Amino acid sequence: MMNKVVVTGYGVLSPLGNEMDTMWEHLIAGCSGVGPITRFDVTDQQVKIAAELKDFVPTDYLPRKEVRRMDPCSHYAMAAAMKAAEHAKLDVNRLDRDRFGVSFGTGQGGMVSLTEQLEIFNAKGPRRVSPFCVPMMIANMPAGHVGIHFGARGPNITLTTACAASAHAIGEASRILQRGDADVMISGGTEAGLVPISLAGFSAMKALSTRNDEPEKASRPFDKDRDGFVIGEGAAMVILETLDHARERGAKIYGELLGYGLSSDGYHITAPPEDGDGGVRSMREALRDAGIAPSAVDCINAHGTSTPTGDVAESRAIETVFGDHAWRLPITATKSMTGHLLGAAGALESVISLLSIETGIIPPTINLDMPGEDCRLDYVPKVARESEVNVVLTNSFGFGGQNASLIWGRFTP
């Protein structure tokens, strides 16, 4: 019999705040974390807005020497993991370190370091490149640093499935726990990909909103005037444990991972199929894995990126999977406020889903003035909603047609 997987803690760094309470207050108030880019000069860029991480000081969490040897994506991961471990009251000295693991997702890895070292290489030559260039830029190092910090010697993996990365990381962490290969996993995602080349690249493929004059209104999932997503940055982590282990150490349990589904579109490098077939199959697989009927889902935290094709495909997929229940099902698109954290999005939206279960509040989809064509469902427009929430499904769909759906539930002893 497979182990039950429960959540005993979580931590976030988000464009809406770096503490859980602050982020949640801003979410349910319908605040936007999007604004003008301050990281670098955007004079020549077509897109000049993003959902930046604000007021984050890495030396609040790490010694200055370590900070210099890590990319910001690792800074964010370390801080969020520390917050999650503290929230879970996890005493690592009492853990079996060989059964304590890490599973992370990221879309781009150490893009800040790569960009900086390329500038040094071009200006000063190869001998001036940092010996820490490769450890700073490779995508698995956030998980590596967290494993080193906590002395976690169990499974340690990184997934880079674009915008589905951290959802896949959480799902795979649950599989590791279910089959008995670990007792505790720190899992989630981190992204610090707001650099000039990434902004220009996403802009060149016309994936981003160009609503530069009204940044707080730029991310507008399911709205008829949506014109692309807004890049966000940050990290989110959850502490997952087997139920037996959590009970043994007397941990508070915040929820249960009921189901995990994944699929491939097998269709296109960036666009989903019009009928949302890949999303249909990942959601159905998650429901099958959870052993629940579609009618048992109380809320969906949608992938909802604010792209013209993606939002329609997801809406059609939800209609297909949930049938008549789709018309009664609240669907929130929190990227309207946080922006799109790319590889960290699934983890952040998982934490938000758990908070909805805990508080009975569904955050709104802001900027939804008029639903677009074929966006016909209840997207909780503009104002948060109080509701009994016991089960939440969250979707994450990545470039390359790589999809993940997670189902979170209220824990009942």
Side-chain angles (χ1 to χ4, degrees), residues 163-302:
C163 305
S166 56
H168 277 135
I170 290 170
E172 294 305 315
S174 75
R175 295 287 192 253
I176 289 169
L177 293 166
Q178 284 173 336
R179 65 178 180 252
D181 290 344
D183 299 323
V184 184
M185 296 289 292
I186 299 179
S187 186
T190 183
E191 203 74 84
L194 185 57
V195 295
I197 187 64
S198 289
L199 184 70
F202 280 122
S203 181
M205 62 189 298
K206 302 190 184 306
L208 301 180
S209 172
T210 57
R211 199 181 287 258
N212 295 316
D213 295 334
E214 296 181 299
E216 71 282 355
K217 296 181 180 179
S219 185
R220 42 197 319 113
F222 306 109
D223 186 77
K224 70 179 181 64
D225 291 328
R226 67 193 185 278
D227 68 329
F229 72 84
V230 176
I231 294 178
E233 54 181 3
M237 303 293 160
V238 293
I239 304 297
L240 301 177
E241 302 186 47
T242 63
L243 175 58
D244 288 346
H245 188 272
R247 281 176 166 164
E248 184 178 335
R249 72 178 188 90
K252 181 176 180 179
I253 295 174
Y254 294 95
E256 180 180 352
L257 184 55
L258 300 174
Y260 165 46
L262 64 168
S263 72
S264 172
D265 290 344
Y267 177 73
H268 189 270
I269 58 171
T270 57
E274 292 184 0
D275 60 359
D277 173 66
V280 168
R281 287 181 286 110
S282 69
M283 285 188 278
R284 282 180 170 163
E285 178 61 20
L287 289 165
R288 184 205 63 78
D289 187 48
I292 61 174
S295 59
V297 175
D298 299 310
C299 174
I300 292 178
N301 191 308

Side-chain angles (χ1 to χ4, degrees), residues 29 39 68 97 120-121 178 182 184 200 214 216 219 282 284 331 348 359 377 381 393 406:
R39 290 274 188 278
R68 290 199 302 267
R97 304 292 183 91
I120 292 171
F121 176 89
Q178 284 173 336
V184 184
E214 296 181 299
E216 71 282 355
S219 185
S282 69
R284 282 180 170 163
I331 300 164
L348 180 62
T359 64
L377 302 173
L393 181 148
L406 300 171

Side-chain angles (χ1 to χ4, degrees), residues 17 128 215 377 387 396:
R128 298 299 295 274
L377 302 173
S387 178
S396 296

